[in-house]
C-alpha cells in the first residue's frame, strides 16, 4: 500500500512556495490516491496537473500500481481544514452541529480552535409584545460540528 505520509510530503514540497494549501490526502485499499488542494481564488487545472506530475515523480510504479487524482476540494463540500474557513470569512455558510441542529449565517471570525457565525433570529425583546429579529453571534469549536460548508447562491 502507498504510504500516505510520503504523498503528503511530496505534495508539501510542491505547495511550499505557492499560495495553495493541502486539504486532504485519501488512499483507498486498492491504492487510489486522491489529493485535494485549495486556494483563496480557486484551483487551476494546470496546477493540478503539475502537482500530479510532481507526486508521480516521487512514487515508483515499479513497486506499486496506483491511480492518482489531484483536484480541488470542491465548492459546496464540507470544510476540512482551518484555511478553508479563513478563505470564507464574510460569506454565508451552513453549520451542522453534533446536536443535529443546522445554522446558516455569515462566517465572521476564525481562530485555530473555533469560529463565529452571525445570523438573525426572532427573539422576545423585553417591553415588546411580538418577537423581534435580532442579530446573534454564535461561536463553535471545531469538534462541536459535524460539518461547515459554503452556501452556493445563484442569482
Amino acid at each position: 500500500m502507498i504510504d500516505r505520509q510520503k504523498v503528503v510530503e511530496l505534495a508539501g514540497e510542491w505547495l511550499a512556495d505557492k499560495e495553495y494549501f493541502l486539504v486532504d490526502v485519501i488512499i483507498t485499499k486498492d491504492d487510489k490516491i486522491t489529493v485535494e488542494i485549495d486556494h483563496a481564488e480557486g484551483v487551476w487545472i494546470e496546477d493540478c496537473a503539475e502537482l500530479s506530475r510532481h507526486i508521480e515523480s516521487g512514487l515508483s510504479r515499479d513497486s506499486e500500481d496506483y491511480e492518482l487524482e489531484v483536484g480541488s476540494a470542491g465548492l459546496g463540500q464540507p470544510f476540512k481544514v482551518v484555511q478553508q474557513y479563513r478563505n470564507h470569512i464574510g460569506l454565508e455558510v451552513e453549520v451542522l452541529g453534533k446536536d443535529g441542529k443546522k445554522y446558516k449565517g455569515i462566517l465572521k471570525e476564525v481562530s485555530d480552535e473555533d469560529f463565529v457565525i452571525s445570523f438573525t433570529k426572532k427573539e422576545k425583546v423585553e417591553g415588546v409584545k411580538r418577537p423581534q429579529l435580532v442579530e446573534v453571534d454564535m461561536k463553535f469549536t471545531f469538534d462541536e460540528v459535524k460539518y461547515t460548508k459554503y452556501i452556493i447562491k445563484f442569482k
Side-chain angles (χ1 to χ4, degrees):
M1 185 160 170
I2 303 288
D3 179 28
R4 182 182 185 280
Q5 190 56 39
K6 175 71 173 171
V7 176
V8 169
E9 288 170 12
L10 289 165
E13 290 171 5
W14 186 85
L15 295 166
D17 61 344
K18 297 169 181 63
E19 292 183 20
Y20 283 100
F21 58 93
L22 185 63
V23 173
D24 203 0
V25 172
I26 302 164
I27 303 176
T28 64
K29 290 180 182 176
D30 58 345
D31 285 336
K32 179 180 180 200
I33 306 167
T34 304
V35 178
E36 294 179 350
I37 60 173
D38 208 348
H39 186 285
E41 297 172 9
V43 176
W44 297 97
I45 189 124
E46 296 85 5
D47 292 329
C48 291
E50 190 178 312
L51 175 55
S52 179
R53 285 190 294 274
H54 180 79
I55 292 171
E56 284 180 347
S57 73
L59 299 176
S60 170
R61 289 227 183 244
D62 295 334
S63 62
E64 293 200 66
D65 187 32
Y66 61 88
E67 177 184 344
L68 176 60
E69 179 182 309
V70 176
S72 161
L75 197 58
Q77 295 298 310
F79 300 159
K80 295 181 180 179
V81 296
V82 174
Q83 187 60 44
Q84 289 177 295
Y85 284 83
R86 289 188 176 117
N87 287 350
H88 289 86
I89 290 175
L91 301 174
E92 190 173 16
V93 295
E94 177 181 277
V95 177
L96 176 63
K98 288 198 174 168
D99 60 1
K101 292 182 183 176
K102 278 188 183 177
Y103 304 90
K104 288 184 182 179
I106 303 299
L107 185 58
K108 209 170 166 182
E109 299 172 23
V110 179
S111 76
D112 289 341
E113 295 82 34
D114 53 34
F115 63 97
V116 176
I117 65 168
S118 178
F119 56 94
T120 55
K121 75 176 198 175
K122 286 186 177 182
E123 282 190 356
K124 179 113 174 87
V125 177
E126 195 172 320
V128 180
K129 289 186 179 186
R130 293 181 181 213
Q132 302 291 309
L133 284 176
V134 294
E135 187 89 9
V136 177
D137 285 352
M138 189 164 205
K139 182 182 272 193
F140 297 90
T141 61
F142 293 110
D143 61 353
E144 290 177 326
V145 299
K146 288 185 180 179
Y147 70 74
T148 303
K149 60 184 178 180
Y150 170 64
I151 296 176
I152 302 168
K153 290 188 176 181
F154 300 98
K155 293 183 179 183

